[in-house]
Amino acid sequence: MMGDKNQLKNKETSIRSLERLLRQASMVEHLLINQYLYAAFSLKKYPEEFGVGLDEELVQAQIERNRRWEAGIMYVARQEMEHLCMVQNMMAILGSDSYLWRPNYPVPPRSFPLDIPIHLMPFSQKAIEIFRYVEKPDSIDLESPFGTGNDHQGIVEYSQELFRGFDDPFATEFTSVQQMYEAICSEFKFLIDNRYLDGKNPNRIVNEHFGFNIELEPLIQSDWYGYIKTITEMIVAQGEGVGSVPPPLGSHFMKYQEILDGMRQMSNKGGLSEFALPVVNDAMIGDQHALGAAGTKITNPYTIGVMQLFNDCYELTCRMLTGFFNGYDVNQTTGIHPPRVNAWFQNAFYPMMTMIIRPMGEIVCRLPAFKEYIPEKGKLPAATAGPSFELDVQQGKGHGDQKRASVAAFKTGEEFSERLRQLSEHSEHLAKTVPEGYEPLAGRNYQEQLHYISQNLFRMSENFILYWKGEMVTVIPSENFQNLEGIN
Amino acid sequence: MMDNNVIDIEFEGFFLCRLATDPDPSLEQRGISGFTMAVAGESLLDPSIFCQPEDVEGEYGIKDPNYMVGDSAQKQFKIKNIREASPDYKTYNENGIGLKVKNVKVKGEDSEILNQRLVGSKVRFTAQGVPHHVHKGPIFEGRNQIVSDGDPDRFTVNPFVFEICDDHDDTVLRRFDPLDFEDPEKPLWEIVPMGANKDVVERRLPCQRFPTSQILLDRLDIPDAAQHFVNRAQWLKEKIAEAEALEKHALAEAFRSRLFGVDFFTQATGPTVLENRLASRIPLRQLYRHTIRGTMDMQPTPIVDHRVFDPGDLGAQVSVDINQPWDAEYYIGAYDGDLMNGFISGRVSLPFCLNNNGGN
């Protein structure tokens, strides 16, 4: 009897420990996605943004490089989304709810594997060195970009100052991302080998093609460990390039290495040293941070409004994803989702991420950070804001239920639909109240972009409730494809 | 007995459409994560469909010599935004952009007189005169699955206006097809395809799709769809070297970006047939079949120069009937994401009346 009790205790402790590890992995992936997007959105896209008096051909050539760098970072961010999805799959197997919460930025060093802080940084050599360091395999011995102390871009000093003496509420025990996933894999093995865990929720395993660069493993029923091993190995292979020497060109580590190589070649060529917009570090508008005041407080009233809309759209996306991962199901024969899953699926990924988050993030990176800004024709603001991805909930220790509630799925389709409608109205209001002189230096004006975003949010509100009620149905991408050509 | 008073206008040719492709947002103007990109020396992306090279030139002008290498027999490649293909894609390199009348039939028979008059005339899918339309031409409107039916590759051509012009570019035929006949100016994003509105959108979406169309490959003389972008990649590498040799560094970077797109997007990225995002679209042929129904109460109003469509050998004067809907059947395919062009082939059938009781 005593042995049974001990065994039960051992089992419960192990499951809780693994759940904690998976939450940490979820936070890591989620934090990295936003961090990478912040840098990607900050890259200059138009010749006008490089300023005047420069050689036009040099600028045009640099825009091409910027595009490929941004595409590379976006590619990595999309794969991190895939990794986040795999972590949610592992949580399903463990019998846990999905976990989409993560602390607001900046995140203190001890919260993150590698013992480095996570900042929202505009694109720069230092930022890419940090990204490369996070994505490095354990076999490569790179000097920490936070350890040199002679950083000319200030992020190291800024970070050291910010977190001096700060009691870290989300401490991690890992020294690398690779180590974290190896620990997760080992814990699963222990639980499965000891028959403490019989995999749960096979229906919740997302093996969905989100439309782009996604390689998800199908679960072979009951081969739980085989599945865990495959996906954890895939995560570190795609990210850190583990399993190949040198890491493969498509790995995140090598993508960042490639960008660094390109930047070094270009260093200050023809006066082109600023590849990014003057985006501040850790832009923020709220006061929800474990450290109290942290980051760069944005004070421009119009920019605050646009950032608020961005954060609200981001939060709603997280709520949709929570619903999606918790409630996921699909008919494996027909590929049809239940209506609610379809509502989340058809809204969270393509439209919300690509049509709302992305263009809004790019708008925010061009808006002035501070209230003192006076528009000057043909010139960028001296400092611009950035998408802060803030969750409006108490940070720090405790408040676990509140934190989870801040990204929980709404109970009804009407709530989602209504929220989308409110966001549409907010976007339309912002479109109508662009202050005089606030215009991007090139491309479509803010009014046009925000009006378009408003239309799209409105239509998504209509679509969402119809999907939710099953009145609009899953589209199968290759439906009505025919191979026999009888006509024309 | 079936009424056979119909003039069939057959047309075909390449169109240009520099639209943003997902996962870029649909208003993206540079092209970052999608497979279409505006590169150095070109103007920003614009989703408008252009059917005639003159329209492209009128809108964007000609290329800056700094962004050109080599010479081509095809004069169109001097026009800004019209790209040259690698030499293997002869059908495109020789013809360039341009939808033209190919054949005309009257009562089901080839009409020598109308063929003489109309073959080679410019055909346009246009948006001119459509109220509230903000783009330069019609667009494939999907908004990353927001306004289509959720299928990422099934779009309506919006708005739909069919036009034929004579040698002087004067319009001899034009008719608009509203999406919503009861509310012709209603934008697509406001039409939720449910209930009574289901057919409003559905009728203008492809009715059949052939992912590996041999008919299309044969028509464009593409012997091997898989090899299409292998050839392109090789040619782009040569162009990079050529541009670098001429110290045209921005142009070399532009070719590098095109090569990056070709390399990246010919990798399989998912399980469905379309997931080799560039190569899979070459043999893809989508068939549209709908009527064209615009009336004199709708903008733009129908135009018919009845004299042009009267073969003069039917014993009475021919009058194309704009009170009846016209049948349109066309396919769109072979979208080449590197060149940002595709091929259209189709037929519009014009019912006609015979005045003075001539004919049957």
Side-chain angles (χ1 to χ4, degrees):
Chain A
M1 282 297 279
M2 201 58 162
D4 284 354
K5 267 190 180 173
N6 281 341
Q7 198 176 13
L8 190 63
K9 197 175 170 191
N10 204 1
K11 174 184 171 179
E12 284 172 358
T13 308
S14 299
I15 286 177
R16 271 202 305 275
S17 159
L18 183 51
E19 187 176 36
R20 195 173 56 79
L21 282 185
L22 288 170
R23 286 183 178 184
Q24 208 171 113
S26 179
M27 282 202 273
V28 164
E29 300 294 356
H30 198 160
L31 287 167
L32 290 180
I33 292 169
N34 299 345
Q35 187 189 38
Y36 295 162
L37 290 179
Y38 194 92
F41 295 160
S42 77
L43 272 158
K44 291 175 180 172
K45 287 172 78 172
Y46 304 101
E48 293 84 346
E49 291 174 340
F50 283 82
V52 290
L54 296 164
D55 182 289
E56 190 213 314
E57 270 198 82
L58 270 181
V59 171
Q60 290 286 355
Q62 187 53 43
I63 285 175
E64 293 304 319
R65 291 185 203 97
N66 271 24
R67 177 221 307 281
R68 300 197 295 268
W69 294 344
E70 185 173 349
I73 301 172
M74 294 277 204
Y75 162 82
V76 173
R78 281 195 301 274
Q79 280 201 333
E80 299 297 6
M81 183 65 221
E82 169 188 349
H83 299 174
L84 182 68
C85 172
M86 288 172 176
V87 173
Q88 307 311 313
N89 284 353
M90 288 191 272
M91 297 190 92
I93 289 172
L94 193 63
S96 303
D97 287 343
S98 66
Y99 192 78
L100 269 292
W101 189 81
R102 86 291 174 293
N104 282 338
Y105 300 85
V107 179
R110 289 211 49 245
S111 301
F112 197 81
L114 300 164
D115 201 16
I116 61 169
I118 295 295
H119 294 286
L120 295 174
M121 297 169 284
F123 181 93
S124 69
Q125 186 168 321
K126 180 57 72 178
I128 302 299
E129 280 170 3
I130 291 168
F131 297 171
R132 179 189 58 168
Y133 189 70
V134 168
E135 300 281 1
K136 82 175 186 65
D138 290 353
S139 58
I140 292 183
D141 192 17
L142 268 184
E143 192 176 359
S144 165
F146 279 89
T148 57
N150 59 352
D151 175 63
H152 54 92
Q153 288 159 65
I155 190 75
V156 173
E157 288 84 351
Y158 157 76
S159 188
Q160 285 164 348
E161 190 56 39
L162 190 64
F163 295 112
R164 201 179 299 282
F166 177 52
D167 178 26
D168 190 338
F170 321 104
T172 176
E173 58 265 40
F174 299 108
T175 56
S176 74
V177 173
Q178 182 182 340
Q179 200 181 71
M180 180 178 72
Y181 280 108
E182 284 168 357
I184 287 169
C185 192
S186 300
E187 292 267 341
F188 262 112
K189 186 168 187 340
F190 172 78
L191 284 168
I192 291 166
D193 284 353
N194 286 286
R195 298 184 184 276
Y196 288 166
L197 176 68
D198 186 18
K200 297 182 173 64
N201 302 313
N203 55 316
R204 261 179 60 194
I205 301 304
V206 179
N207 175 29
E208 196 70 54
H209 173 56
F210 295 106
F212 203 77
N213 289 110
I214 301 290
E215 267 182 69
L216 293 175
E217 273 299 304
L219 172 72
I220 308 298
Q221 192 73 270
S222 80
D223 182 14
W224 304 102
Y225 179 65
Y227 176 78
I228 300 288
K229 189 166 184 301
T230 303
I231 62 172
T232 49
E233 284 175 357
M234 185 186 284
I235 289 171
V236 292
Q238 287 181 342
E240 290 72 21
V242 174
S244 305
V245 181
L249 287 176
S251 66
H252 304 178
F253 174 78
M254 288 302 275
K255 281 273 169 205
Y256 288 132
Q257 182 63 53
E258 199 180 302
I259 294 173
L260 279 174
D261 292 344
M263 289 181 82
R264 284 170 186 152
Q265 277 173 21
M266 281 310 298
S267 189
N268 209 19
K269 202 172 183 180
L272 282 176
S273 56
E274 299 295 334
F275 306 128
L277 297 159
V279 171
V280 298
N281 288 318
D282 296 316
M284 62 187 302
I285 54 172
D287 51 10
Q288 298 285 22
H289 195 276
L291 196 57
T296 309
K297 197 84 175 171
I298 303 303
T299 57
N300 184 288
Y302 184 73
T303 305
I304 290 171
V306 179
M307 286 177 71
Q308 187 60 57
L309 177 62
F310 177 91
N311 286 338
D312 290 345
C313 289
Y314 164 70
E315 181 208 289
L316 188 62
T317 306
C318 290
R319 289 182 185 278
M320 288 180 184
L321 289 174
T322 302
F324 177 77
F325 288 123
N326 268 340
Y328 185 77
D329 199 359
V330 66
N331 182 318
Q332 298 289 351
T333 308
T334 63
I336 293 174
H337 303 113
R340 289 176 183 203
V341 176
N342 205 31
W344 290 313
F345 183 63
Q346 294 289 349
N347 283 277
F349 295 94
Y350 260 72
M352 215 52 187
M353 292 181 190
T354 66
M355 295 293 281
I356 312 295
I357 300 283
R358 157 95 178 270
M360 289 213 61
E362 291 185 357
I363 291 173
V364 168
C365 285
R366 287 164 173 82
L367 286 172
F370 305 117
K371 62 184 176 195
E372 293 79 12
Y373 171 67
I374 298 168
E376 201 175 341
K377 204 167 172 55
K379 276 194 171 175
L380 284 168
T384 59
S388 54
F389 298 96
E390 284 163 274
L391 293 172
D392 189 16
V393 65
Q394 185 92 37
Q395 311 277 305
K397 280 182 178 163
H399 313 290
D401 291 343
Q402 282 177 41
K403 287 174 189 167
R404 279 191 294 279
S406 70
V407 289
F410 293 131
K411 294 272 188 297
T412 66
E414 284 79 5
E415 285 174 276
F416 277 108
S417 181
E418 178 56 25
R419 191 76 185 110
L420 285 162
R421 196 176 294 263
Q422 288 166 0
L423 296 173
S424 166
E425 285 168 9
H426 190 186
S427 188
E428 190 58 29
H429 168 74
L430 291 165
K432 287 177 176 161
T433 55
V434 179
E436 205 174 325
Y438 281 37
E439 286 307 333
L441 296 184
R444 292 192 169 85
N445 64 41
Y446 299 133
Q447 187 181 6
E448 191 183 344
Q449 291 186 64
L450 289 163
H451 181 60
Y452 189 70
I453 287 169
S454 169
Q455 287 178 0
N456 290 333
L457 285 163
F458 178 84
R459 178 58 189 272
M460 286 165 67
S461 154
E462 305 259 306
N463 289 353
F464 192 95
I465 197 67
L466 290 167
Y467 280 126
W468 185 273
K469 290 176 177 170
E471 291 170 19
M472 260 164 98
V473 294
T474 304
V475 171
I476 299 166
S478 51
E479 199 173 48
N480 81 20
F481 269 16
Q482 297 173 18
N483 285 313
L484 288 174
E485 294 182 296
I487 296 176
N488 243 21
Chain B
M1 193 172 165
M2 222 172 96
D3 183 2
N4 194 23
N5 284 352
V6 173
I7 300 169
D8 292 312
I9 312 277
E10 295 167 8
F11 57 94
E12 66 174 26
F14 287 95
F15 64 96
L16 180 74
C17 184
R18 303 170 65 247
L19 79 171
T21 44
D22 59 53
D24 273 331
S26 47
L27 273 195
E28 166 64 29
Q29 291 179 293
R30 177 67 65 194
I32 304 291
S33 46
F35 60 76
T36 46
M37 294 177 261
V39 297
E42 297 178 341
S43 48
L44 297 173
L45 292 178
D46 176 327
S48 302
I49 297 169
F50 285 95
C51 297
Q52 298 301 330
E54 297 87 348
D55 299 349
V56 183
E57 186 174 354
E59 198 62 54
Y60 301 110
I62 59 166
K63 285 175 186 162
D64 180 326
N66 286 330
Y67 297 101
M68 294 173 75
V69 282
D71 207 6
S72 167
Q74 177 55 263
K75 287 181 186 166
Q76 279 192 23
F77 298 145
K78 290 190 166 54
I79 299 172
K80 197 169 185 174
N81 299 338
I82 299 184
R83 293 179 181 174
E84 184 177 1
S86 40
D88 56 291
Y89 199 8
K90 278 188 197 147
T91 313
Y92 165 70
N93 278 345
E94 286 169 7
N95 289 282
I97 302 296
L99 253 69
K100 289 176 181 159
V101 173
K102 191 178 74 169
N103 188 37
V104 185
K105 288 180 175 169
V106 177
K107 292 171 165 274
E109 302 290 332
D110 287 350
S111 166
E112 198 180 328
I113 296 167
L114 290 193
N115 269 326
Q116 277 176 6
R117 204 178 286 163
L118 281 165
V119 167
S121 296
K122 291 173 198 166
V123 173
R124 285 185 178 90
F125 286 11
T126 179
Q128 277 217 336
V130 176
H132 317 302
H133 186 66
V134 297
H135 300 285
K136 299 176 181 87
I139 63 172
F140 294 111
E141 188 159 15
R143 302 195 185 201
N144 287 14
Q145 307 180 29
I146 292 176
V147 299
S148 64
D149 60 356
D151 187 319
D153 288 284
R154 201 163 166 247
F155 307 119
T156 178
V157 176
N158 186 38
F160 187 89
V161 181
F162 182 80
E163 182 185 76
I164 299 176
C165 292
D166 65 14
D167 294 345
H168 306 290
D169 220 6
D170 290 327
T171 305
V172 296
L173 185 88
R174 180 181 77 187
R175 198 167 183 190
F176 163 62
D177 181 58
L179 271 172
D180 186 341
F181 193 78
E182 303 304 321
D183 189 354
E185 293 185 17
K186 196 171 190 177
L188 177 59
W189 70 271
E190 286 184 10
I191 304 172
V192 180
M194 292 303 304
N197 276 336
K198 183 139 181 68
D199 285 346
V200 168
V201 179
E202 185 70 28
R203 64 180 280 281
R204 285 267 294 274
L205 289 171
C207 57
Q208 282 181 297
R209 300 195 290 175
F210 307 100
T212 53
S213 170
Q214 196 57 45
I215 288 174
L216 182 61
L217 295 176
D218 289 346
R219 173 63 193 86
L220 301 181
D221 199 18
I222 298 173
D224 181 353
Q227 190 65 23
H228 188 77
F229 285 107
V230 176
N231 296 337
R232 187 72 49 79
Q234 185 54 42
W235 180 79
L236 286 166
K237 285 175 191 164
E238 291 163 15
K239 287 287 162 189
I240 292 167
E242 202 176 336
E244 288 290 14
L246 293 168
E247 298 199 348
K248 294 186 175 184
H249 302 300
L251 181 61
E253 290 298 337
F255 284 127
R256 278 196 186 94
S257 289
R258 284 177 62 181
L259 180 62
F260 165 82
V262 168
D263 276 349
F264 188 81
F265 289 102
T266 47
Q267 297 162 26
T269 53
T272 68
V273 289
L274 285 177
E275 292 319 316
N276 180 325
R277 290 167 71 88
L278 279 182
S280 63
R281 279 164 178 78
I282 296 300
L284 173 64
R285 187 167 76 95
Q286 309 212 55
L287 185 69
Y288 294 76
R289 192 182 293 130
H290 59 86
T291 51
I292 310 178
R293 308 165 298 169
T295 68
M296 294 304 284
D297 300 329
M298 299 174 189
Q299 292 298 326
T301 53
I303 294 175
V304 179
D305 185 339
H306 295 284
R307 293 164 307 172
V308 172
F309 296 93
D310 188 349
D313 60 358
L314 296 182
Q317 207 171 34
V318 163
S319 174
V320 174
D321 192 346
I322 58 166
N323 295 314
Q324 284 190 60
W326 301 348
D327 289 328
E329 186 177 60
Y330 52 95
Y331 70 74
I332 299 179
Y335 188 76
D336 184 315
D338 174 50
L339 304 173
M340 295 188 280
N341 67 31
F343 191 75
I344 295 177
S345 177
R347 174 177 60 236
V348 167
S349 302
L350 313 174
F352 64 83
C353 314
L354 289 168
N355 297 333
N356 305 327
N357 297 322
N360 57 334

